[in-house]
Amino acid sequence: MAAEGSILTFQGLTLDYTSAAGSITALSGVGFDLQKGEPLVLIGPSGCGKTSTLLLAAGLLKPTSGSVMVDGAAITRPREATALILQEYGLLPWKTVFENAALGLRIRRRARAEISERTLAALAEVGLAQFAKNYPDELSGGMRQRLALARALTLDADLLLMDEPLSALDAMLREGMQDNLLKLWHARGHAQVLVTHSVEEAAFLGRRIAVFSARPGRIQAWVDNPAMGELDFRSTAAYQDCCQELREALRKQSQYEGVSQEEALHA
């Protein structure tokens, strides 16, 4: 049963994949509650099931056992108020910026006037209104990331799921986009789950951080980060302490799994 105030609940979840090589357990015994408006980060080595966790939350995968609930109801298919941003953004190169941003609303068969109003508002919110008639290949990497975010914002989501959306950006642009995600979270108050391999990004954007084990993925440690939430957080002792706690949790995990510290921190 979901805890009161939870928007997303995983209970005793296991996920198996079947391949030519046989059955592979991607996730084992994963359980957590995400509160409404809470920013959660998932971190861990490659292949540990973090992306699968997002796909389960989005209703795009079904668990082998256990359950996934959103707003207290079992999730059996994608829901309108959940937005998913994948690592490659999922942009259609033959459609304009406006058409890409409006895609989710068109799929939901919203009225033309509503599509126009909400899409233009979302593009303005991420600073892309003047590029509405451009195409994705005419945009920089950071602008394409903002376009993917705008498409999510048009849906007025209360749950935003993000799979390493900033991993392809250079360091300075990445920090700027992290700032944008933080501002949007403050402005909209949605719950969000971010998958990342970056300790610094996890500490900046997660109020709680789940450290996953190597496959089969289990949550091996929780790092609480109550001081996050301000743009100057990176300059504080609390931020440095959180980064250090995360590195230590990953280091312990790498020792337990028999992989190198370098693999755990930079997989």
Side-chain angles (χ1 to χ4, degrees), residues 21-44:
S23 180
I24 297 172
T25 300
L27 295 166
S28 178
V30 173
F32 64 85
D33 283 301
L34 177 71
Q35 299 300 301
K36 293 178 180 179
E38 182 185 13
L40 173 68
V41 172
L42 313 181
I43 193 169

Side-chain angles (χ1 to χ4, degrees), residues 25-248:
T25 300
L27 295 166
S28 178
V30 173
F32 64 85
D33 283 301
L34 177 71
Q35 299 300 301
K36 293 178 180 179
E38 182 185 13
L40 173 68
V41 172
L42 313 181
I43 193 169
S46 292
C48 69
K50 301 184 300 295
T51 297
S52 294
T53 301
L54 291 189
L55 296 178
L56 286 159
L60 297 173
L61 286 179
K62 293 183 178 180
T64 305
S65 63
S67 64
V68 182
M69 290 181 285
V70 177
D71 253 354
I75 182 76
T76 58
R77 61 180 183 176
R79 72 191 268 272
E80 288 198 4
T82 297
L84 174 65
I85 300 177
L86 298 172
Q87 191 171 355
E88 300 300 323
Y89 309 146
L91 302 178
L92 303 179
W94 60 88
K95 289 188 177 290
T96 65
V97 165
F98 179 91
E99 291 167 339
N100 268 285
L103 187 60
L105 292 174
R106 292 192 187 281
I107 290 172
R108 288 162 172 78
R109 300 182 182 276
R110 298 299 175 85
R112 182 176 298 180
E114 180 185 358
I115 290 173
S116 179
E117 180 182 355
R118 292 176 66 168
T119 300
L120 290 174
L123 289 175
E125 195 168 1
V126 300
L128 290 179
Q130 67 270 41
F131 298 96
K133 295 181 179 180
N134 289 78
Y135 289 86
D137 63 1
E138 297 174 322
L139 306 180
S140 68
M143 293 167 74
R144 287 194 292 272
Q145 196 279 338
R146 282 186 279 153
L147 174 54
L149 184 58
R151 184 164 63 194
L153 296 179
T154 64
L155 304 179
D156 196 23
D158 58 11
L159 176 59
L160 178 60
L161 310 171
M162 297 175 283
D163 186 16
E164 297 190 73
L166 311 182
S167 60
L169 306 181
D170 63 61
M172 290 303 296
L173 185 55
R174 187 166 182 163
E175 283 200 1
M177 288 308 305
Q178 290 167 4
D179 291 349
N180 286 341
L181 288 176
L182 184 67
K183 291 174 185 176
L184 286 169
W185 171 69
H186 276 299
R188 289 180 167 253
H190 53 254
Q192 62 185 33
V193 184
L194 170 70
V195 166
T196 185
H197 280 107
S198 167
V199 166
E200 290 78 13
E201 188 165 277
F204 186 69
L205 290 173
R207 183 150 289 168
R208 280 193 304 156
I209 303 149
V211 180
F212 273 65
S213 70
R215 192 175 66 220
R218 301 178 177 88
I219 298 177
Q220 296 288 72
W222 286 99
V223 174
D224 291 321
N225 188 26
M228 67 77 64
E230 299 301 327
L231 289 173
D232 64 354
F233 183 53
R234 297 185 188 91
S235 64
T236 67
Y239 171 77
Q240 298 299 329
D241 290 344
C242 183
C243 288
Q244 182 58 35
E245 187 175 353
L246 275 174
R247 291 191 179 96
E248 184 60 28

